[in-house]
Amino acid sequence: AQKITQTQPGMFVQEKEAVTLDCTYDTSDPSYGLFWYKQPSSGEMIFLIYQGSYDQQNATEGRYSLNFQKARKSANLVISASQLGDSAMYFCAMRLSGGYQKVTFGIGTKLQVIP
Amino acid sequence: EPEVTQTPSHQVTQMGQEVILRCVPISNHLYFYWYRQILGQKVEFLVSFYNNEISEKSEIFDDQFSVERPDGSNFTLKIRSTKLEDSAMYFCASSAGQGTDTQYFGPGTRLTVL
């Protein structure tokens, strides 16, 4: 079984500053993928970034980067140069390989960007 | 950019009624999923569907739920006799492959059971 833990129910960040959203995971499977999704107040689930368990380098997508520390089982999301439109819920998620289908989500972190 | 679409965006129904939630996955994707999110809670997996059959389902997906791909583009979730606790946001998702392939989510259908 896999588990995702997000310990920050809410975070504030000043506009244009960087922010790190924490995520730890637990699995005994050696092959997995880690994802971050953004959920604005409108409700849709937007894919942000992906990190494979065998990837040597941390994933980056524009202002998003994933700080992947495999030994610590952490996959923190870093948002640089925060914008007001970044205010949303952020979910860390994991999917195992080997034919498993489901994505397991964390409880989420609510990020508010302050002007 | 291709995207998953869902209709309706909001569905209100009476307890005991049947509802059908509709989704159009990304056109070249082969794997389809339904998730739900009860207000204020985490997103929960319901079911996955591949090659016209269910490939995995959770304990939430009981006999009241069914899925179907009635044609080449639509993917539906049916709840036969809705209960108050079925009130949630229902997300459809699709992926090109299995394993660690990214699942792309639709905008969701908010189901309210009165």
Side-chain angles (χ1 to χ4, degrees):
Chain A
Q2 61 267 34
K3 185 180 177 182
I4 296 284
T5 302
Q6 293 180 256
T7 56
Q8 304 157 314
M11 291 281 287
F12 289 91
V13 64
Q14 204 76 39
E15 195 177 5
K16 300 179 186 174
E17 297 292 310
V19 64
T20 298
L21 306 184
D22 294 343
C23 171
T24 58
Y25 60 92
D26 187 26
T27 181
S28 56
D29 198 299
S31 180
Y32 49 87
L34 295 158
F35 305 84
W36 278 90
Y37 289 87
K38 173 184 177 181
Q39 187 178 42
S41 57
S42 49
E44 69 267 35
M45 195 72 72
I46 302 166
F47 164 72
L48 295 178
I49 195 167
Y50 162 80
Q51 178 86 42
S53 60
Y54 293 118
D55 292 345
Q56 295 296 313
Q57 292 194 321
N58 287 342
T60 59
E61 287 286 347
R63 294 186 298 111
Y64 304 108
S65 60
L66 200 153
N67 184 0
F68 180 46
Q69 298 188 44
K70 194 170 182 178
R72 297 178 61 184
K73 293 189 174 179
S74 74
N76 298 339
L77 176 71
V78 180
I79 306 174
S80 63
S82 297
Q83 301 171 357
L84 295 177
D86 294 334
S87 295
M89 282 291 286
Y90 288 81
F91 292 95
C92 181
M94 177 167 65
R95 187 179 185 192
L96 303 182
S97 64
Y100 295 97
Q101 303 295 321
K102 70 176 183 181
V103 172
T104 299
F105 285 82
I107 195 73
T109 294
K110 185 170 184 178
L111 176 67
Q112 293 191 62
V113 181
I114 305 166
Chain B
E1 186 174 324
E3 57 184 20
V4 178
T5 59
Q6 290 185 243
T7 54
S9 57
H10 193 185
Q11 172 96 42
V12 181
T13 189
Q14 295 290 325
M15 190 170 58
Q17 295 296 305
E18 174 184 287
V19 295
I20 297 176
L21 309 183
R22 291 181 168 80
C23 167
V24 178
I26 294 173
S27 62
N28 63 342
H29 284 185
L30 300 176
Y31 295 81
F32 315 116
Y33 315 86
W34 284 101
Y35 291 80
R36 79 171 186 191
Q37 184 183 31
I38 295 171
L39 187 64
Q41 298 186 22
K42 66 167 72 175
V43 178
E44 302 172 291
F45 170 78
L46 292 178
V47 66
S48 63
F49 192 85
Y50 169 71
N51 200 26
N52 279 321
E53 58 183 32
I54 291 172
S55 48
E56 188 177 348
K57 62 181 181 178
S58 72
E59 59 276 7
I60 302 168
F61 194 87
D62 60 21
D63 292 343
Q64 292 297 314
F65 293 90
S66 62
V67 290
E68 190 179 30
R69 188 154 163 83
D71 54 44
S73 59
N74 290 285
F75 179 52
T76 62
L77 174 70
K78 182 193 289 187
I79 309 175
R80 288 190 183 81
S81 177
T82 50
K83 303 187 280 276
L84 294 176
E85 54 265 36
D86 293 327
S87 294
M89 181 77 98
Y90 287 81
F91 291 103
C92 174
S94 69
S95 66
Q98 57 177 343
T100 53
D101 268 28
T102 298
Q103 294 182 12
Y104 294 90
F105 284 69
T109 292
R110 183 167 298 283
L111 176 65
T112 302
V113 182
L114 303 176

PDB file of all heavy atoms in Angstrom, chain A residues 88-113:
ATOM      1  N   ALA A  88      -4.254  28.447  -4.355  1.00  0.00           N
ATOM      2  CA  ALA A  88      -5.020  27.237  -4.686  1.00  0.00           C
ATOM      3  C   ALA A  88      -4.682  26.158  -3.669  1.00  0.00           C
ATOM      4  O   ALA A  88      -3.813  26.342  -2.807  1.00  0.00           O
ATOM      5  CB  ALA A  88      -4.660  26.730  -6.087  1.00  0.00           C
ATOM      6  N   MET A  89      -5.374  25.022  -3.795  1.00  0.00           N
ATOM      7  CA  MET A  89      -4.987  23.804  -3.081  1.00  0.00           C
ATOM      8  C   MET A  89      -3.977  23.071  -3.935  1.00  0.00           C
ATOM      9  O   MET A  89      -4.114  23.005  -5.164  1.00  0.00           O
ATOM     10  CB  MET A  89      -6.202  22.903  -2.851  1.00  0.00           C
ATOM     11  CG  MET A  89      -7.111  23.331  -1.726  1.00  0.00           C
ATOM     12  SD  MET A  89      -6.366  23.145  -0.098  1.00  0.00           S
ATOM     13  CE  MET A  89      -6.436  21.371   0.104  1.00  0.00           C
ATOM     14  N   TYR A  90      -2.979  22.484  -3.283  1.00  0.00           N
ATOM     15  CA  TYR A  90      -1.964  21.723  -3.989  1.00  0.00           C
ATOM     16  C   TYR A  90      -1.922  20.315  -3.408  1.00  0.00           C
ATOM     17  O   TYR A  90      -1.805  20.140  -2.190  1.00  0.00           O
ATOM     18  CB  TYR A  90      -0.596  22.389  -3.860  1.00  0.00           C
ATOM     19  CG  TYR A  90      -0.505  23.647  -4.682  1.00  0.00           C
ATOM     20  CD1 TYR A  90      -1.029  24.838  -4.203  1.00  0.00           C
ATOM     21  CD2 TYR A  90       0.072  23.633  -5.950  1.00  0.00           C
ATOM     22  CE1 TYR A  90      -0.975  26.003  -4.960  1.00  0.00           C
ATOM     23  CE2 TYR A  90       0.131  24.786  -6.719  1.00  0.00           C
ATOM     24  CZ  TYR A  90      -0.400  25.957  -6.223  1.00  0.00           C
ATOM     25  OH  TYR A  90      -0.350  27.101  -6.977  1.00  0.00           O
ATOM     26  N   PHE A  91      -2.030  19.343  -4.306  1.00  0.00           N
ATOM     27  CA  PHE A  91      -2.050  17.942  -3.893  1.00  0.00           C
ATOM     28  C   PHE A  91      -0.823  17.222  -4.417  1.00  0.00           C
ATOM     29  O   PHE A  91      -0.490  17.291  -5.600  1.00  0.00           O
ATOM     30  CB  PHE A  91      -3.295  17.237  -4.434  1.00  0.00           C
ATOM     31  CG  PHE A  91      -4.582  17.718  -3.830  1.00  0.00           C
ATOM     32  CD1 PHE A  91      -5.334  18.696  -4.452  1.00  0.00           C
ATOM     33  CD2 PHE A  91      -5.030  17.184  -2.625  1.00  0.00           C
ATOM     34  CE1 PHE A  91      -6.525  19.139  -3.890  1.00  0.00           C
ATOM     35  CE2 PHE A  91      -6.220  17.622  -2.062  1.00  0.00           C
ATOM     36  CZ  PHE A  91      -6.966  18.602  -2.687  1.00  0.00           C
ATOM     37  N   CYS A  92      -0.163  16.513  -3.513  1.00  0.00           N
ATOM     38  CA  CYS A  92       0.891  15.593  -3.869  1.00  0.00           C
ATOM     39  C   CYS A  92       0.259  14.228  -4.093  1.00  0.00           C
ATOM     40  O   CYS A  92      -0.707  13.863  -3.386  1.00  0.00           O
ATOM     41  CB  CYS A  92       1.916  15.541  -2.744  1.00  0.00           C
ATOM     42  SG  CYS A  92       3.312  14.457  -3.021  1.00  0.00           S
ATOM     43  N   ALA A  93       0.758  13.482  -5.051  1.00  0.00           N
ATOM     44  CA  ALA A  93       0.128  12.207  -5.373  1.00  0.00           C
ATOM     45  C   ALA A  93       1.178  11.222  -5.855  1.00  0.00           C
ATOM     46  O   ALA A  93       2.267  11.604  -6.295  1.00  0.00           O
ATOM     47  CB  ALA A  93      -0.945  12.399  -6.453  1.00  0.00           C
ATOM     48  N   MET A  94       0.835   9.949  -5.780  1.00  0.00           N
ATOM     49  CA  MET A  94       1.770   8.901  -6.173  1.00  0.00           C
ATOM     50  C   MET A  94       1.034   7.811  -6.921  1.00  0.00           C
ATOM     51  O   MET A  94      -0.125   7.490  -6.622  1.00  0.00           O
ATOM     52  CB  MET A  94       2.441   8.307  -4.940  1.00  0.00           C
ATOM     53  CG  MET A  94       3.381   7.149  -5.233  1.00  0.00           C
ATOM     54  SD  MET A  94       4.422   6.726  -3.822  1.00  0.00           S
ATOM     55  CE  MET A  94       3.200   6.187  -2.685  1.00  0.00           C
ATOM     56  N   ARG A  95       1.742   7.215  -7.863  1.00  0.00           N
ATOM     57  CA  ARG A  95       1.195   6.090  -8.606  1.00  0.00           C
ATOM     58  C   ARG A  95       2.300   5.055  -8.734  1.00  0.00           C
ATOM     59  O   ARG A  95       3.423   5.385  -9.095  1.00  0.00           O
ATOM     60  CB  ARG A  95       0.724   6.548  -9.984  1.00  0.00           C
ATOM     61  CG  ARG A  95      -0.005   5.488 -10.769  1.00  0.00           C
ATOM     62  CD  ARG A  95      -0.454   6.033 -12.105  1.00  0.00           C
ATOM     63  NE  ARG A  95      -1.248   5.050 -12.819  1.00  0.00           N
ATOM     64  CZ  ARG A  95      -1.596   5.155 -14.104  1.00  0.00           C
ATOM     65  NH1 ARG A  95      -1.222   6.213 -14.789  1.00  0.00           N
ATOM     66  NH2 ARG A  95      -2.316   4.215 -14.667  1.00  0.00           N
ATOM     67  N   LEU A  96       1.982   3.810  -8.441  1.00  0.00           N
ATOM     68  CA  LEU A  96       2.944   2.734  -8.585  1.00  0.00           C
ATOM     69  C   LEU A  96       2.949   2.230 -10.015  1.00  0.00           C
ATOM     70  O   LEU A  96       1.944   2.325 -10.729  1.00  0.00           O
ATOM     71  CB  LEU A  96       2.597   1.577  -7.639  1.00  0.00           C
ATOM     72  CG  LEU A  96       2.504   1.907  -6.151  1.00  0.00           C
ATOM     73  CD1 LEU A  96       2.200   0.637  -5.366  1.00  0.00           C
ATOM     74  CD2 LEU A  96       3.790   2.554  -5.653  1.00  0.00           C
ATOM     75  N   SER A  97       4.073   1.679 -10.420  1.00  0.00           N
ATOM     76  CA  SER A  97       4.113   1.026 -11.725  1.00  0.00           C
ATOM     77  C   SER A  97       3.677  -0.424 -11.529  1.00  0.00           C
ATOM     78  O   SER A  97       3.129  -0.783 -10.510  1.00  0.00           O
ATOM     79  CB  SER A  97       5.514   1.109 -12.304  1.00  0.00           C
ATOM     80  OG  SER A  97       6.401   0.377 -11.485  1.00  0.00           O
ATOM     81  N   GLY A  98       3.922  -1.246 -12.469  1.00  0.00           N
ATOM     82  CA  GLY A  98       3.599  -2.670 -12.325  1.00  0.00           C
ATOM     83  C   GLY A  98       2.143  -2.983 -12.470  1.00  0.00           C
ATOM     84  O   GLY A  98       1.644  -3.919 -11.840  1.00  0.00           O
ATOM     85  N   GLY A  99       1.448  -2.187 -13.282  1.00  0.00           N
ATOM     86  CA  GLY A  99       0.064  -2.517 -13.589  1.00  0.00           C
ATOM     87  C   GLY A  99      -0.958  -1.902 -12.661  1.00  0.00           C
ATOM     88  O   GLY A  99      -2.158  -2.050 -12.853  1.00  0.00           O
ATOM     89  N   TYR A 100      -0.504  -1.213 -11.608  1.00  0.00           N
ATOM     90  CA  TYR A 100      -1.466  -0.552 -10.740  1.00  0.00           C
ATOM     91  C   TYR A 100      -2.022   0.685 -11.441  1.00  0.00           C
ATOM     92  O   TYR A 100      -1.348   1.342 -12.199  1.00  0.00           O
ATOM     93  CB  TYR A 100      -0.812  -0.165  -9.413  1.00  0.00           C
ATOM     94  CG  TYR A 100      -0.378  -1.356  -8.612  1.00  0.00           C
ATOM     95  CD1 TYR A 100       0.934  -1.799  -8.656  1.00  0.00           C
ATOM     96  CD2 TYR A 100      -1.290  -2.054  -7.833  1.00  0.00           C
ATOM     97  CE1 TYR A 100       1.337  -2.902  -7.932  1.00  0.00           C
ATOM     98  CE2 TYR A 100      -0.896  -3.161  -7.100  1.00  0.00           C
ATOM     99  CZ  TYR A 100       0.411  -3.579  -7.154  1.00  0.00           C
ATOM    100  OH  TYR A 100       0.806  -4.666  -6.445  1.00  0.00           O
ATOM    101  N   GLN A 101      -3.256   0.966 -11.150  1.00  0.00           N
ATOM    102  CA  GLN A 101      -3.937   2.024 -11.872  1.00  0.00           C
ATOM    103  C   GLN A 101      -4.128   3.291 -11.057  1.00  0.00           C
ATOM    104  O   GLN A 101      -4.060   4.385 -11.594  1.00  0.00           O
ATOM    105  CB  GLN A 101      -5.315   1.515 -12.325  1.00  0.00           C
ATOM    106  CG  GLN A 101      -5.259   0.264 -13.174  1.00  0.00           C
ATOM    107  CD  GLN A 101      -4.578   0.489 -14.497  1.00  0.00           C
ATOM    108  OE1 GLN A 101      -4.749   1.522 -15.116  1.00  0.00           O
ATOM    109  NE2 GLN A 101      -3.773  -0.472 -14.926  1.00  0.00           N
ATOM    110  N   LYS A 102      -4.397   3.160  -9.786  1.00  0.00           N
ATOM    111  CA  LYS A 102      -4.883   4.316  -9.056  1.00  0.00           C
ATOM    112  C   LYS A 102      -3.759   5.256  -8.670  1.00  0.00           C
ATOM    113  O   LYS A 102      -2.610   4.875  -8.476  1.00  0.00           O
ATOM    114  CB  LYS A 102      -5.627   3.889  -7.794  1.00  0.00           C
ATOM    115  CG  LYS A 102      -4.751   3.296  -6.715  1.00  0.00           C
ATOM    116  CD  LYS A 102      -5.581   2.998  -5.481  1.00  0.00           C
ATOM    117  CE  LYS A 102      -4.727   2.472  -4.343  1.00  0.00           C
ATOM    118  NZ  LYS A 102      -5.556   2.156  -3.155  1.00  0.00           N
ATOM    119  N   VAL A 103      -4.135   6.530  -8.596  1.00  0.00           N
ATOM    120  CA  VAL A 103      -3.276   7.554  -8.029  1.00  0.00           C
ATOM    121  C   VAL A 103      -3.744   7.778  -6.592  1.00  0.00           C
ATOM    122  O   VAL A 103      -4.937   7.909  -6.334  1.00  0.00           O
ATOM    123  CB  VAL A 103      -3.367   8.859  -8.835  1.00  0.00           C
ATOM    124  CG1 VAL A 103      -2.628   9.979  -8.131  1.00  0.00           C
ATOM    125  CG2 VAL A 103      -2.808   8.660 -10.236  1.00  0.00           C
ATOM    126  N   THR A 104      -2.794   7.783  -5.675  1.00  0.00           N
ATOM    127  CA  THR A 104      -3.110   8.048  -4.271  1.00  0.00           C
ATOM    128  C   THR A 104      -2.730   9.484  -3.952  1.00  0.00           C
ATOM    129  O   THR A 104      -1.596   9.900  -4.218  1.00  0.00           O
ATOM    130  CB  THR A 104      -2.339   7.089  -3.358  1.00  0.00           C
ATOM    131  OG1 THR A 104      -2.729   5.753  -3.652  1.00  0.00           O
ATOM    132  CG2 THR A 104      -2.632   7.388  -1.898  1.00  0.00           C
ATOM    133  N   PHE A 105      -3.671  10.219  -3.392  1.00  0.00           N
ATOM    134  CA  PHE A 105      -3.480  11.636  -3.123  1.00  0.00           C
ATOM    135  C   PHE A 105      -3.233  11.894  -1.650  1.00  0.00           C
ATOM    136  O   PHE A 105      -3.713  11.177  -0.774  1.00  0.00           O
ATOM    137  CB  PHE A 105      -4.722  12.429  -3.540  1.00  0.00           C
ATOM    138  CG  PHE A 105      -4.861  12.604  -5.014  1.00  0.00           C
ATOM    139  CD1 PHE A 105      -5.409  11.599  -5.790  1.00  0.00           C
ATOM    140  CD2 PHE A 105      -4.429  13.761  -5.627  1.00  0.00           C
ATOM    141  CE1 PHE A 105      -5.535  11.754  -7.173  1.00  0.00           C
ATOM    142  CE2 PHE A 105      -4.563  13.938  -7.006  1.00  0.00           C
ATOM    143  CZ  PHE A 105      -5.107  12.925  -7.771  1.00  0.00           C
ATOM    144  N   GLY A 106      -2.490  12.985  -1.379  1.00  0.00           N
ATOM    145  CA  GLY A 106      -2.408  13.512  -0.033  1.00  0.00           C
ATOM    146  C   GLY A 106      -3.619  14.384   0.255  1.00  0.00           C
ATOM    147  O   GLY A 106      -4.480  14.596  -0.597  1.00  0.00           O
ATOM    148  N   ILE A 107      -3.657  14.910   1.464  1.00  0.00           N
ATOM    149  CA  ILE A 107      -4.799  15.694   1.931  1.00  0.00           C
ATOM    150  C   ILE A 107      -4.773  17.118   1.366  1.00  0.00           C
ATOM    151  O   ILE A 107      -5.790  17.814   1.383  1.00  0.00           O
ATOM    152  CB  ILE A 107      -4.848  15.708   3.474  1.00  0.00           C
ATOM    153  CG1 ILE A 107      -6.202  16.202   3.989  1.00  0.00           C
ATOM    154  CG2 ILE A 107      -3.717  16.523   4.037  1.00  0.00           C
ATOM    155  CD1 ILE A 107      -7.317  15.225   3.820  1.00  0.00           C
ATOM    156  N   GLY A 108      -3.612  17.543   0.868  1.00  0.00           N
ATOM    157  CA  GLY A 108      -3.519  18.845   0.230  1.00  0.00           C
ATOM    158  C   GLY A 108      -2.997  19.936   1.144  1.00  0.00           C
ATOM    159  O   GLY A 108      -3.052  19.833   2.384  1.00  0.00           O
ATOM    160  N   THR A 109      -2.463  20.977   0.509  1.00  0.00           N
ATOM    161  CA  THR A 109      -2.007  22.191   1.194  1.00  0.00           C
ATOM    162  C   THR A 109      -2.648  23.385   0.510  1.00  0.00           C
ATOM    163  O   THR A 109      -2.595  23.504  -0.717  1.00  0.00           O
ATOM    164  CB  THR A 109      -0.476  22.330   1.123  1.00  0.00           C
ATOM    165  OG1 THR A 109       0.138  21.275   1.862  1.00  0.00           O
ATOM    166  CG2 THR A 109      -0.028  23.674   1.677  1.00  0.00           C
ATOM    167  N   LYS A 110      -3.262  24.231   1.297  1.00  0.00           N
ATOM    168  CA  LYS A 110      -3.876  25.439   0.732  1.00  0.00           C
ATOM    169  C   LYS A 110      -2.865  26.575   0.746  1.00  0.00           C
ATOM    170  O   LYS A 110      -2.401  26.989   1.812  1.00  0.00           O
ATOM    171  CB  LYS A 110      -5.120  25.839   1.525  1.00  0.00           C
ATOM    172  CG  LYS A 110      -5.855  27.023   0.904  1.00  0.00           C
ATOM    173  CD  LYS A 110      -7.199  27.240   1.553  1.00  0.00           C
ATOM    174  CE  LYS A 110      -7.949  28.354   0.863  1.00  0.00           C
ATOM    175  NZ  LYS A 110      -9.310  28.569   1.431  1.00  0.00           N
ATOM    176  N   LEU A 111      -2.506  27.039  -0.430  1.00  0.00           N
ATOM    177  CA  LEU A 111      -1.532  28.113  -0.565  1.00  0.00           C
ATOM    178  C   LEU A 111      -2.260  29.417  -0.861  1.00  0.00           C
ATOM    179  O   LEU A 111      -3.128  29.473  -1.741  1.00  0.00           O
ATOM    180  CB  LEU A 111      -0.549  27.823  -1.699  1.00  0.00           C
ATOM    181  CG  LEU A 111       0.459  28.922  -2.001  1.00  0.00           C
ATOM    182  CD1 LEU A 111       1.441  29.080  -0.838  1.00  0.00           C
ATOM    183  CD2 LEU A 111       1.218  28.637  -3.288  1.00  0.00           C
ATOM    184  N   GLN A 112      -1.905  30.437  -0.106  1.00  0.00           N
ATOM    185  CA  GLN A 112      -2.448  31.778  -0.377  1.00  0.00           C
ATOM    186  C   GLN A 112      -1.290  32.720  -0.642  1.00  0.00           C
ATOM    187  O   GLN A 112      -0.355  32.824   0.170  1.00  0.00           O
ATOM    188  CB  GLN A 112      -3.289  32.253   0.798  1.00  0.00           C
ATOM    189  CG  GLN A 112      -4.550  31.423   0.977  1.00  0.00           C
ATOM    190  CD  GLN A 112      -5.516  32.036   1.970  1.00  0.00           C
ATOM    191  OE1 GLN A 112      -6.012  33.128   1.772  1.00  0.00           O
ATOM    192  NE2 GLN A 112      -5.790  31.330   3.037  1.00  0.00           N
ATOM    193  N   VAL A 113      -1.349  33.382  -1.788  1.00  0.00           N
ATOM    194  CA  VAL A 113      -0.327  34.342  -2.176  1.00  0.00           C
ATOM    195  C   VAL A 113      -0.827  35.738  -1.808  1.00  0.00           C
ATOM    196  O   VAL A 113      -1.911  36.157  -2.205  1.00  0.00           O
ATOM    197  CB  VAL A 113      -0.022  34.254  -3.679  1.00  0.00           C
ATOM    198  CG1 VAL A 113       1.059  35.253  -4.061  1.00  0.00           C
ATOM    199  CG2 VAL A 113       0.403  32.830  -4.052  1.00  0.00           C
TER     200      VAL A 113
END
